[in-house]
Amino acid sequence: MYEEELQLFTVKPFYNLINSVFFKFGFSASTSTFLITIISYVLIVILIFIFLKKILRNNYLAFILTILISIFKPLLDTSRHATPDGFSTLLLLLSFYFAIMKRNLFVSSIFGILCILTRPEYFIFYAFLSLLVYFFRKDFKFQTKEILFSFGYFTLTFAIIQYFNQIPWSVLFMNQFTKVQLFPISNPDEFNFREYVNCVKGKILFEWNTSYFPLLLIFIIIILDYRLIISKNRKSLIFLGLYVVVYLTVSLRFIMFPTLVNRMMVGFYLVIILSLIAYQNSKKQILADTIEK
């Protein structure tokens, strides 16, 4: 039974690799997995502080907000579980840092690839994100071929994972969301479309209401300036596009795997929170630029 469960982790090769590195350094298997989580949490908090320093240009305010975000419950939950959630969040934020702050799409894509190798479902997010960056490539000062190569790398990474993954999505769904089996690989349940639909319908309200997405959506609606969006201000449209990408990704992911466990969603939460802070802080400048035009 244990050997069959282990096969479910073949889709997270980079996480497994880092685990094995700690193990080879002499740590026990359980300690190795928790070390990844703890180190990821510390580095995420440091990275948030770096983001906020550059966004706010006020070290004291950046420090206070970093402390508040560091005790954000979903982020704390990632630090208490030996899962790839914290590590994938760190890689996601690093890819954003190099794309937005450093304007280095190549390095950003490398971290994006490693993020997909840690949690394959992030491919959905990076695919939509590549489309957004393509439409606003002049604003980011990225070349079309760079974006196409990045998307190609993301697709190839995801395809390689699926090639070595011998467990069909239907088997995974029936085992995790309908009834848990002792031997899901060697003796899988036959996929039942009616059970699938009933499972999605039964969980949709509960999962969304127990997540932070409705609350964050309220803040998005309040903070976004729709005068700028109606006037087609490109910076405002980029932020709006980012939020559309996040919610599309989460919705599509929910259809495939009807669960929105907060520790798994923390990467999306942090992207929304940090971008809202950036938008609110730059709103005066955006308005000034719009008036000048």
Side-chain angles (χ1 to χ4, degrees):
M1 289 187 299
Y2 184 68
E3 286 180 359
E4 291 208 1
E5 288 295 325
L6 281 178
Q7 292 183 53
L8 300 175
F9 287 86
T10 58
V11 295
K12 303 164 185 174
F14 189 58
Y15 178 70
N16 296 337
L17 173 65
I18 302 300
N19 252 324
S20 65
V21 169
F22 281 116
F23 184 72
K24 288 175 181 176
F25 277 141
F27 296 101
S28 67
S30 59
T31 302
S32 297
T33 57
F34 274 107
L35 272 175
I36 297 175
T37 299
I38 294 166
I39 293 171
S40 295
Y41 174 78
V42 173
L43 293 178
I44 286 169
V45 172
I46 293 171
L47 195 54
I48 288 171
F49 180 66
I50 293 171
F51 264 112
L52 293 175
K53 271 180 62 178
K54 289 183 177 292
I55 292 169
L56 301 171
R57 297 179 184 177
N58 183 321
N59 291 351
Y60 297 109
L61 182 57
F63 180 75
I64 292 169
L65 285 176
T66 301
I67 295 299
L68 292 174
I69 295 173
S70 70
I71 58 175
F72 181 45
K73 188 176 182 300
L75 184 55
L76 282 178
D77 284 345
T78 66
S79 68
R80 299 190 185 107
H81 291 83
T83 64
D85 303 317
F87 190 43
S88 61
T89 298
L90 174 64
L91 295 168
L92 175 68
L93 292 181
L94 282 170
S95 68
F96 264 80
Y97 177 79
F98 280 96
I100 297 169
M101 300 298 186
K102 298 295 185 181
R103 289 292 194 269
N104 190 326
L105 191 59
F106 177 73
V107 176
S108 174
S109 298
I110 291 175
F111 283 111
I113 289 168
L114 295 178
C115 184
I116 294 170
L117 288 171
T118 303
R119 270 207 174 278
E121 61 264 32
Y122 271 110
F123 169 73
I124 304 169
F125 183 57
Y126 279 104
F128 284 133
L129 206 58
S130 298
L131 190 61
L132 177 68
V133 172
Y134 175 77
F135 281 120
F136 293 97
R137 59 191 180 280
K138 292 181 181 178
D139 301 86
F140 291 107
K141 297 179 181 177
F142 293 147
Q143 295 181 5
T144 302
K145 63 180 180 180
E146 289 182 292
I147 300 168
L148 291 176
F149 274 121
S150 293
F151 177 71
Y153 294 144
F154 297 147
T155 304
L156 182 61
T157 301
F158 185 72
I160 290 171
I161 292 172
Q162 296 309 312
Y163 176 78
F164 287 102
N165 176 32
Q166 301 301 315
I167 304 168
W169 166 82
S170 57
V171 171
L172 189 64
F173 183 90
M174 293 300 290
N175 179 56
Q176 292 195 351
F177 297 100
T178 55
K179 52 183 170 181
V180 177
Q181 288 185 299
L182 296 179
F183 296 96
I185 312 302
S186 58
N187 186 32
D189 270 335
E190 186 177 345
F191 180 73
N192 187 303
F193 185 73
R194 179 176 293 180
E195 287 186 11
Y196 162 73
V197 172
N198 289 337
C199 180
V200 173
K201 285 168 59 179
K203 290 191 172 190
I204 189 166
L205 287 178
F206 176 79
E207 292 291 335
W208 282 95
N209 287 335
T210 54
S211 75
Y212 285 82
F213 288 112
L215 179 62
L216 289 173
L217 185 58
I218 292 172
F219 283 106
I220 290 170
I221 293 170
I222 292 171
I223 292 175
L224 279 180
D225 194 316
Y226 292 95
R227 293 171 298 169
L228 295 173
I229 293 171
I230 292 170
S231 64
K232 297 182 180 179
N233 176 269
R234 293 185 68 83
K235 195 166 186 179
S236 295
L237 290 174
I238 289 172
F239 280 98
L240 177 62
L242 175 62
Y243 303 135
V244 170
V245 163
V246 170
Y247 279 86
L248 275 176
T249 300
V250 174
S251 299
L252 184 56
R253 186 190 181 281
F254 180 82
I255 291 171
M256 297 175 65
F257 301 104
T259 180
L260 294 176
V261 178
N262 282 321
R263 62 179 171 77
M264 293 183 181
M265 300 292 111
V266 69
F268 298 121
Y269 294 156
L270 292 179
V271 166
I272 293 173
I273 291 169
L274 292 173
S275 61
L276 282 175
I277 293 172
Y279 184 79
Q280 179 65 24
N281 191 63
S282 63
K283 194 183 288 186
K284 288 183 179 179
Q285 184 60 47
I286 295 171
L287 284 167
D289 293 341
T290 305
I291 292 169
E292 288 176 7
K293 291 177 183 179

